[in-house]
């Protein structure tokens, strides 16, 4: 299990500076495998050059940078019409020059209605087939330039808006390395919200994504403390993950409170929640390697049944069986799930 975070910070608009990363790692008493950054296409200053300084900070920290690449003010149709190509091309060149692994997450939460690319916001220009095509358009621009150091993340919100569906905009297995879910327990932080358990937030989305043969992780999540037990919410999550959600391979928490517009998402909004989180992540040592499934057939036995599901097979003959499901027996190596081959 890899552990990551949007680390927050004391600033009005915090970024993953070296100081903020160090503060969060101290808070959870564990290294961050993944550092999360939001990059807005319509913010004049958020160019590749601006992004690169945070990418370098993550690299120096021994972490992988995951970028939520937000193509506002565009719709999917705009992207297909080439309106974002000039901006995309600057990242194609910059990411290629960087040369190290980096994760890009465009069009996240497209099954919602709060972003310009959301199906719920514009069912015509953001129809699910256009969203899938727009995602492929972006990936193809990187591939055409022979950029090989990107892992592509496809993220759904835990619930739909309007005519959107959970997986209708999936770009296809050849275009995605990881699938992921964004979901929050708002508690009673807003007049319209109520307390939701971890299962209530994530069950439907998880059941949809396990039909796709790719690793799954939580790319954004947190809980409010209002209306229930925030510490208990995290404790329940860590207890449920191994048995009920065995396909989840990583957790990237959103740790920044937005008390006026959203909720108290920051991990340290409650000391008991910090302790519950710290105890939960302590079970997962920092990842030695974070990557997608192996695409080299020589590295995976011919009879590796789990490869079709997006996972390599375990290399050791005596790997401990952690979970048994309808597909087979699962173990863990290098903090990643692997299929156990029956002799």
């Amino acid at each position: 299990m890899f552990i990551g975070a949007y680390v927050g910070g004391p600033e009005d608009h915090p970024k993953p500076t070296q100081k903020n990363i160090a503060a969060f790692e101290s808070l959870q008493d564990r290294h961050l495998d993944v550092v999360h950054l939001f990059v807005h296409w319509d913010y004049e200053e958020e160019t590749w050059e601006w992004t690169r300084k945070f990418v370098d900070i993550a690299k120096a920290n021994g972490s992988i940078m995951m970028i939520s690449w937000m193509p506002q003010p565009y719709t999917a149709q705009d992207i297909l019409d080439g309106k974002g190509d000039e901006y995309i091309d600057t990242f194609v060149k910059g990411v290629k020059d960087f040369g190290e692994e980096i994760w890009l997450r465009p069009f996240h939460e497209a099954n919602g209605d709060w972003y310009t690319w959301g199906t719920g916001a514009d069912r015509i220009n953001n129809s699910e087939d256009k969203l899938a095509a727009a995602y492929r358009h972006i990936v193809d621009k990187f591939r055409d330039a022979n950029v090989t150091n990107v892992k592509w993340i496809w993220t759904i919100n835990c619930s739909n808006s309007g005519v959107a569906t959970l997986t209708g905009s999936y770009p296809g297995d050849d275009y995605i390395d990881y699938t992921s879910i964004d979901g929050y327990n708002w508690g009673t932080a807003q007049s319209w919200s109520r307390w939701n358990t971890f299962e209530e937030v994530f069950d439907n989305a998880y059941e949809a994504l396990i039909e796709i043969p790719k690793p799954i992780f939580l790319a954004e999540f947190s809980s409010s403390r209002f209306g229930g037990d925030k510490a208990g919410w995290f404790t329940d999550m860590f207890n449920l993950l191994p048995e009920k959600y065995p396909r989840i391979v990583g957790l990237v928490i959103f740790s920044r409170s937005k008390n006026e517009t959203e909720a108290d998402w920051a991990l340290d909004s409650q000391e008991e929640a910090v302790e519950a989180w710290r105890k939960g992540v302590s079970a997962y040592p920092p990842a030695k390697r974070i990557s997608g499934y192996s695409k080299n057939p020589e590295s995976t036995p011919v009879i590796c049944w789990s490869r079709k599901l997006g996972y390599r097979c375990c290399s050791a003959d005596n790997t401990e069986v952690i979970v048994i499901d309808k597909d087979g027996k699962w173990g863990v190596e290098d903090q990643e799930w692997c299929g156990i081959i029956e002799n």
Side-chain angles (χ1 to χ4, degrees):
M1 184 79 71
F2 64 80
I3 303 297
Y6 175 77
V7 297
E11 305 86 359
D12 289 339
H13 302 285
K15 300 295 185 290
T17 61
Q18 183 178 11
K19 182 178 180 179
N20 286 344
I21 292 173
F24 189 86
E25 289 186 331
S26 176
L27 183 70
Q28 70 170 8
D29 195 25
R30 186 196 184 279
H31 178 259
L32 282 170
D33 305 307
V34 174
V35 170
H36 187 187
L37 172 69
F38 291 88
V39 177
H40 307 76
W41 292 22
D42 62 340
Y43 287 15
E44 184 176 352
E45 72 276 12
E46 295 189 8
T47 61
W48 166 253
E49 288 73 21
W50 176 89
T51 303
R52 175 66 190 259
K53 63 184 178 182
F54 298 111
V55 172
D56 285 337
I57 288 170
K59 177 184 175 181
N61 194 63
S63 308
I64 290 175
M65 176 62 80
M66 178 179 78
I67 296 174
S68 288
W69 209 23
M70 304 174 67
Q72 56 196 38
Y74 300 127
T75 64
Q77 184 63 61
D78 289 334
I79 300 298
L80 292 173
D81 291 340
K83 291 185 179 179
D85 282 358
E86 185 176 350
Y87 183 83
I88 295 169
D89 288 342
T90 64
F91 270 72
V92 169
K93 183 181 184 303
V95 170
K96 185 175 184 178
D97 290 344
F98 174 61
E100 303 284 341
E101 183 172 328
I102 189 169
W103 295 4
L104 292 181
R105 188 173 85 119
F107 301 112
H108 74 288
E109 302 176 10
N111 56 322
D113 62 4
W114 42 89
Y115 292 129
T116 59
W117 58 88
T119 298
D122 186 339
R123 62 186 297 176
I124 304 301
N125 291 303
N126 295 323
S127 63
E128 293 181 332
D129 60 330
K130 289 180 180 178
L131 276 164
Y135 198 111
R136 292 192 292 267
H137 173 78
I138 292 175
V139 175
D140 284 339
K141 289 185 72 64
F142 281 77
R143 289 179 174 175
D144 290 345
N146 197 32
V147 180
T148 59
N149 54 312
V150 177
K151 296 296 182 186
W152 293 101
I153 315 300
W154 183 71
T155 305
I156 61 174
N157 189 59
C158 62
S159 59
N160 300 313
S161 297
V163 298
T165 65
L166 288 169
T167 58
S169 65
Y170 183 60
D173 293 348
D174 291 342
Y175 284 84
I176 299 300
D177 294 292
Y178 287 93
T179 63
S180 58
I181 309 168
D182 287 358
Y184 294 84
N185 169 33
W186 291 71
T188 56
Q190 297 294 323
S191 60
W192 51 262
S193 62
R194 68 174 182 85
W195 185 266
N196 285 284
T197 66
F198 182 84
E199 294 166 290
E200 288 173 326
V201 175
F202 289 105
D203 268 6
N204 290 340
Y206 177 79
E207 290 300 319
L209 288 191
I210 61 175
E211 299 302 317
I212 297 173
K214 297 291 177 179
I216 305 167
F217 70 97
L218 304 187
E220 278 184 53
F221 73 98
S222 191
S223 173
S224 172
R225 72 183 187 277
F226 297 110
D229 180 3
K230 181 171 183 172
W233 195 89
F234 285 128
T235 298
D236 289 345
M237 176 188 74
F238 285 112
N239 288 336
L240 288 165
L241 282 171
E243 295 186 2
K244 189 168 184 179
Y245 307 94
R247 291 278 300 279
I248 291 178
V249 300
L251 305 171
V252 182
I253 190 172
F254 185 91
S255 184
R256 177 196 171 197
S257 289
K258 300 181 179 181
N259 292 324
E260 293 184 1
T261 58
E262 295 185 17
D264 52 323
W265 305 134
L267 180 60
D268 59 357
S269 68
Q270 183 188 61
E271 182 57 36
E272 293 84 357
V274 175
E275 293 301 320
W277 175 264
R278 187 180 292 154
K279 180 179 179 181
V281 300
S282 69
Y284 303 103
K288 298 178 181 177
R289 177 179 59 84
I290 301 174
S291 66
Y293 66 95
S294 172
K295 296 181 180 179
N296 178 4
E298 295 181 358
S299 68
T300 307
V302 174
I303 57 174
C304 180
W305 58 269
S306 60
R307 189 182 180 197
K308 70 180 185 296
L309 301 173
Y311 300 88
R312 62 191 176 95
C313 276
C314 305
S315 59
D317 293 334
N318 60 344
T319 301
E320 179 185 0
V321 177
I322 304 298
V323 172
I324 301 176
D325 63 14
K326 62 182 177 61
D327 297 304
K329 297 178 180 179
W330 296 88
V332 173
E333 289 184 347
D334 296 333
Q335 287 72 59
E336 292 185 348
W337 291 103
C338 58
I340 297 175
I341 301 172
E342 300 281 10
N343 292 325

